[in-house]
Amino acid sequence: MQTPWYKRDAVKIPLLFAVIAGVVAGVVATIAVSGGSANPLRVNVGLIAFGVAFIVSLVVAAMLQMVEKPNDPELGQGSGIHRRAADIPGGAQNVPDPRAHHAHRPEHAPVEDERPEA
């Protein structure tokens, strides 16, 4: 069975999209920042805009691809690793309950001063 074109070109399509977005941003920035036809074109600003648009669109495309990609069904089956902290030797079952030392006294009862009277 042959893989579909959109899975074969999983890297080429976002890369092409990022290049096109970068070129458009670079051309628009180069022309817009120059301030009219009497002034020289600001190619340095266009290159910066190209780089920023290229990187941002490539990151967004990669994030969208990661969101779309489903996890392997084997991941949810468990692999022998402890799934609960209480099952780990020396784990959560050995940690004392922080509320245990206040269990004998109600919350609203005043705390008595334990200093000896002089």
Side-chain angles (χ1 to χ4, degrees):
M1 183 167 143
Q2 190 176 5
T3 57
W5 67 271
Y6 58 87
K7 292 203 182 210
R8 271 194 322 257
D9 298 334
V11 175
K12 292 179 190 174
I13 293 173
L15 195 60
L16 183 64
F17 172 73
V19 168
I20 291 171
V23 167
V24 169
V27 169
V28 168
T30 301
I31 294 171
V33 172
S34 66
S37 59
N39 299 327
L41 292 176
R42 299 284 309 266
V43 179
N44 58 345
V45 176
L47 290 174
I48 292 170
F50 169 80
V52 169
F54 176 77
I55 291 171
V56 168
S57 60
L58 195 60
V59 167
V60 167
M63 296 293 283
L64 289 174
Q65 275 189 332
M66 285 192 324
V67 168
E68 183 270 334
K69 184 178 178 184
N71 286 335
D72 190 11
E74 181 181 303
L75 291 176
Q77 302 301 319
S79 60
I81 297 174
H82 295 294
R83 310 278 280 173
R84 296 182 329 139
D87 294 339
I88 299 172
Q93 76 273 12
N94 295 332
V95 177
D97 186 6
R99 297 168 289 175
H101 69 282
H102 295 295
H104 66 279
R105 179 173 53 87
E107 288 294 321
H108 62 278
V111 178
E112 296 178 18
D113 192 7
E114 296 182 5
R115 289 181 283 166
E117 292 184 28

